[in-house]
Amino acid sequence: MADITDNVTIPDFNSLLQMDPYLKPYEQDFKRRYGLFEKGLFLLEEAEGGFDQFTRSYRTFGVNRQPDNSLLFQEWAPAAEALFLTGDFNGWDNFSHPYKRKEFGKWELCLPPKRDKSPAVEHKTKLKVVVHTKAGERLYRISPWAKYVTQAEKQVTYDWVHWDPPQPYLHIHPRPKKPASLRIYESHVGIASPDPKIASYTEFRLNILPRIKDLGYNCIQLMAIMEHAYYASFGYQVTSFFAASSRYGTPEELKLMIDTAHSLNIVVLLDVVHSHASKNTEDGLNRFDGSDSCFFHSPPRGEHTLWDSRLFNYSSWEVQRFLLSNLRWWMEEYRFDGFRFDGVTSMLYHHHGIGSGFSGDYSEYFGLQVDEDSLVYLMTANHILHTLYPDCITIAEDVSGMPALCKKVSEGGLGFDYRLAMAVPDKWIQILKELSDEAWDMGNIIYTLTNRRYGEKCIAYAESHDQSLVGDKSLAFWLMDKEMYTNMSSLVSMTPIIDRGIQLHKMIRLITHALGGEGYLNFMGNEFGHPEWLDFPRKGNNESYHYARRQYNLVDTEHLRYQQLYKFDRDMNCIEDKYGWLAAPPAFVSTKHEEDKVIVFERANVVFLFNFHPTRSQKDYRVAVGSPGKYTIKLDSDEKQYGGHGRLDHNTEFFTEPQPFNQRENSIILVCICNSLIQGGRKIQNYI
């Protein structure tokens, strides 16, 4: 009997094997995955006329106004006995407007225009789908395709509000081109204010976008945009997948915000949650048609035990329609430039990563533990996105290290552009929690920053929102803790703790930026050493907004040292923009000296020097360089404007000697590399 993979050809599979020959024993797994992907595309072509129309299903599902101002309503509710539409438009009559049953579990209703030719349902009026189940239940539901939902004051659940503005926002500015060096400003609109409140799209546009531009970030990753009933979930318990969160403002205000970012040559990514969904029933997808499945697997497969949420059935035709159209909707309607896919590890494996340490053994990434339905869904999503939008950027949040995650689908990969280097922030937190300065292991730091699959791009970061959420705290607070409350004024001398914290904060971020990946990410506010942690209003903190805000007022206060960290972050990005080390091949590390606590490496013809020794500067220190010539200082963390001590003369020119050292043909003698308490790392640039 022939193997089902015998007739499958992965077009560029040899390219993957040339990059990693150790994947050869798993060729049949790659072929099976690719065969399922090809079959899915073929069926789409056969049944739907191709993925272009299929992924525009938001034009036919939910509610859509037709050219004659009639309204077409369509839902998928396979287990329902009957569907009705009710709302403000019919005085909340539960039976006057029945849907008509169609094939494959679909239901349809057409409302003709009113006598004055205006739509039967007015803009900003409320609606509900009334679902009658076979068990005799009458359920009130929000359409899964609802484009706008709101929560009335003191109300627990959300309402479906018909959004059809007479003058919808029209984007003016074209999408920027995909940056070669991706510098991401991870953002949450609701906390983008120093005030204890929920900030708005308008406030973010007016107050935060100019800061992001000034700092040199060319990409914004927007978290918690897809509507979520529970604010404290940080957007991870999505209830309405097509609705931009109304707690920050209207859809048109979000469109204007994104358009303004585009005018600043900043791309905008959406944190998309397709890994799971909220268990909410009245304002979520759960039990939409009264069954325990519909969009999800039936329990237990359809439930995530740790997240207390529902898991999609990615093999379902209508679920694929829903999720793939959801991606297209955000790209087309709001003009996002790509996505950060949340919870990819949970999607890839039946065990969802629970209790799995992922040693890196290739057998962990193949076999029955892999959920090939969701894996093929991700292949299909990336293929469609990159076909329709060649400059689209997709980032995977995966902790497992799945091989070929960031290789092209034509090579047998999943098609992502980047993966998050999630081990890097964990390493920094571990070091700061567990080790004294003298015990820092230079080799281990370098290993963590460089341990990534060759040819698969990573986003490096020292900390993201995860490290700031309650139970943890920002890097700055790990370094300086309670002294940040009293000793951050530049009008008084630095205490040893503040001195050490400021220098290490800069060094950790620079070495992560330069050595850790092909992109860099910073969570909003952490660029200037934001104190404390993140904690959203909830019962456990008396619904307080005190920690659910970003205190930009700190960096705006001239006599506080937050401004010094801000300037260093800005200039670090500026220098990267000029020399492009993120877009360059991986660095060559020439020195990792444990006793001296010195790290030296080259990337993009730039030499980086870090002295992490807590008490000792290095005198007359020989440094290996690849290219001969003259070198000068381009970024110095010891500059006074960055909170340093100004011990280096920037007029000094360094000339190479043709003396081989540490596997390089040339070397330089440096008069002094100051210790981390005084100077921190510094970078010099070859002019040749």
Side-chain angles (χ1 to χ4, degrees), residues 99-156:
Y99 284 73
K100 189 178 296 183
R101 188 193 296 268
K102 309 292 283 187
E103 289 184 304
F104 310 116
K106 297 173 187 174
W107 300 82
E108 191 176 277
L109 167 65
C110 186
L111 291 184
K114 293 189 282 191
R115 288 183 179 179
D116 63 1
K117 302 301 181 182
S118 65
V121 179
E122 295 179 6
H123 173 53
K124 295 181 76 173
T125 57
K126 294 179 181 179
L127 295 165
K128 286 276 189 185
V129 178
V130 184
V131 179
H132 289 241
T133 70
K134 291 181 173 63
E137 297 173 287
R138 185 193 300 170
L139 308 174
Y140 295 89
R141 296 289 188 253
I142 289 176
S143 168
W145 302 78
K147 299 176 179 71
Y148 188 59
V149 296
T150 63
Q151 185 182 39
E153 190 175 353
K154 295 183 180 180
Q155 185 173 307
V156 176

Side-chain angles (χ1 to χ4, degrees), residues 333-399:
E333 185 71 12
Y334 289 93
R335 295 187 67 80
F336 278 94
D337 302 289
F339 302 95
R340 179 260 203 188
F341 280 75
D342 172 69
V344 168
T345 304
S346 175
M347 297 176 71
L348 292 177
Y349 307 96
H350 290 295
H351 54 63
H352 308 300
I354 300 171
S356 298
F358 294 109
S359 66
D361 189 296
Y362 276 9
S363 63
E364 297 172 333
Y365 308 118
F366 303 94
L368 296 178
Q369 68 268 30
V370 176
D371 187 338
E372 292 193 338
D373 290 341
S374 55
L375 185 146
V376 171
Y377 162 71
L378 290 171
M379 292 174 68
T380 305
N382 274 307
H383 170 75
I384 291 172
L385 286 170
H386 289 101
T387 300
L388 294 172
Y389 314 98
D391 276 352
C392 178
I393 299 166
T394 59
I395 301 171
E397 187 209 25
D398 171 47
V399 73

Side-chain angles (χ1 to χ4, degrees), residues 540-579:
N541 64 12
N542 295 319
E543 305 296 334
S544 171
Y545 286 86
H546 180 75
Y547 296 108
R549 60 195 179 116
R550 295 277 93 179
Q551 299 180 59
Y552 287 100
N553 55 299
L554 295 175
V555 78
D556 292 338
T557 306
E558 288 193 15
H559 70 271
L560 294 181
R561 296 191 183 278
Y562 299 100
Q563 200 170 86
Q564 297 166 345
L565 295 176
Y566 177 98
K567 289 176 181 177
F568 182 80
D569 199 82
R570 178 196 62 200
D571 292 352
M572 176 176 68
N573 283 325
C574 180
I575 298 261
E576 195 290 324
D577 188 61
K578 182 175 182 178
Y579 299 113

Side-chain angles (χ1 to χ4, degrees), residues 507 510 568 609-611 635-638 679-683:
M507 294 174 70
L510 177 58
F568 182 80
L609 302 97
F610 295 84
N611 177 17
L635 184 64
D636 171 16
S637 66
D638 191 44
Q679 188 242 334
R682 66 191 175 98
K683 180 176 79 69

Side-chain angles (χ1 to χ4, degrees), residues 49-194:
F51 62 70
D52 188 27
Q53 285 302 111
F54 186 68
T55 57
R56 291 183 187 267
S57 292
Y58 51 81
R59 291 181 171 179
T60 52
F61 279 77
V63 55
N64 286 278
R65 181 159 49 88
Q66 305 303 298
D68 65 350
N69 272 353
S70 61
L71 296 173
L72 181 65
F73 293 80
Q74 186 173 204
E75 302 295 346
W76 178 64
E81 186 68 23
L83 253 66
F84 297 86
L85 183 71
T86 188
D88 292 331
F89 79 100
N90 68 357
W92 294 97
D93 189 316
N94 290 334
F95 300 100
S96 61
H97 289 82
Y99 284 73
K100 189 178 296 183
R101 188 193 296 268
K102 309 292 283 187
E103 289 184 304
F104 310 116
K106 297 173 187 174
W107 300 82
E108 191 176 277
L109 167 65
C110 186
L111 291 184
K114 293 189 282 191
R115 288 183 179 179
D116 63 1
K117 302 301 181 182
S118 65
V121 179
E122 295 179 6
H123 173 53
K124 295 181 76 173
T125 57
K126 294 179 181 179
L127 295 165
K128 286 276 189 185
V129 178
V130 184
V131 179
H132 289 241
T133 70
K134 291 181 173 63
E137 297 173 287
R138 185 193 300 170
L139 308 174
Y140 295 89
R141 296 289 188 253
I142 289 176
S143 168
W145 302 78
K147 299 176 179 71
Y148 188 59
V149 296
T150 63
Q151 185 182 39
E153 190 175 353
K154 295 183 180 180
Q155 185 173 307
V156 176
T157 58
Y158 272 70
D159 292 313
W160 175 19
V161 176
H162 180 52
W163 191 260
D164 186 18
Q167 294 180 317
Y169 182 79
L170 299 176
H171 291 85
I172 300 169
H173 304 283
R175 284 192 175 101
K177 291 185 177 180
K178 182 194 296 187
S181 294
L182 201 61
R183 301 184 297 274
I184 302 171
Y185 198 79
E186 185 183 39
S187 303
H188 184 293
V189 171
I191 65 173
S193 166

Side-chain angles (χ1 to χ4, degrees), residues 306-319:
L306 285 185
W307 296 345
D308 193 32
S309 55
R310 297 303 311 268
L311 299 173
F312 287 105
N313 178 4
Y314 301 100
S315 64
S316 163
W317 190 266
E318 293 304 323
V319 172

